[in-house]
Amino acid sequence: MSDSWQPRIVAFACRWCTYAGADLAGTSRKEYPSSVRLIRVPCSGRVNPSFVIRAFQRGADGVLVSGCHPGDCHYIEGNLLTRRRYSVAKRFLEYLGIEPERFRVEWISAAEGARFADLITEMTDDIRELGPNRKMREQV
Ligand code: FES
């Protein structure tokens, strides 16, 4: 794998918490890899697993679904639905050949800009070790 290869990470970010956390990372001048493409969603509960599969099919090397901490969802139980939904979906993705490091569900609040930067750095490093995602792309 060449040193210049950058994984492509698609991050579905709840607008109230994670998206604001990413914004804080930027305004706090925290450095993190440019490998992430943020998609702002109203709530992590809005992210249908088909969006995740589609992202992998369209060339993502990693996908992050992130929202408010449990108990802080602005729609009361959207992130509880996310947690339940993705405990099942993660196993389905593994069945499809997606390594567990490529897909994560994380809770990041609007005050956790540093945590957002650290998470993207960690995901990028993990995925860089795995190399490009070829499994799902080949199935398109
Ligand atoms: Fe943030 Fe529901 S509003 S996860």
Side-chain angles (χ1 to χ4, degrees):
M1 191 57 44
S2 87
D3 286 342
S4 62
W5 179 74
Q6 271 282 11
R8 279 178 287 193
I9 298 171
V10 173
F12 295 97
C14 149
R15 66 171 290 192
W16 300 103
C17 290
T18 306
Y19 196 84
D23 210 19
L24 180 63
T27 54
S28 307
R29 298 179 184 266
K30 299 284 180 201
E31 286 191 22
Y32 60 88
S34 59
S35 52
V36 65
R37 299 293 179 269
L38 281 176
I39 298 175
R40 190 172 71 165
V41 292
C43 172
S44 65
R46 176 64 184 90
V47 183
N48 188 301
S50 66
F51 299 174
V52 173
I53 290 169
R54 193 78 179 134
F56 279 120
Q57 287 177 325
R58 299 294 290 269
D61 299 302
V63 176
L64 169 69
V65 176
S66 186
C68 311
H69 287 270
D72 290 345
C73 176
H74 284 59
Y75 305 98
I76 314 297
E77 56 188 25
N79 53 7
L80 303 181
L81 171 67
T82 302
R83 187 164 59 188
R84 263 181 269 134
R85 183 185 268 166
Y86 284 103
S87 65
V88 175
K90 195 169 174 89
R91 276 180 284 165
F92 181 62
L93 288 169
E94 285 178 42
Y95 174 76
L96 294 176
I98 297 295
E99 298 90 341
E101 294 85 356
R102 293 190 189 277
F103 175 70
R104 289 176 68 162
V105 176
E106 298 286 342
W107 314 124
I108 297 176
S109 78
E112 294 178 313
R115 181 164 145 61
F116 178 82
D118 290 346
L119 174 64
I120 297 304
T121 303
E122 185 185 313
M123 264 189 95
T124 301
D125 291 346
D126 288 349
I127 295 169
R128 190 177 283 134
E129 272 184 34
L130 293 173
N133 164 37
R134 293 202 168 94
K135 292 252 172 163
M136 293 287 284
R137 242 183 264 175
E138 289 168 358
Q139 293 172 10
V140 173

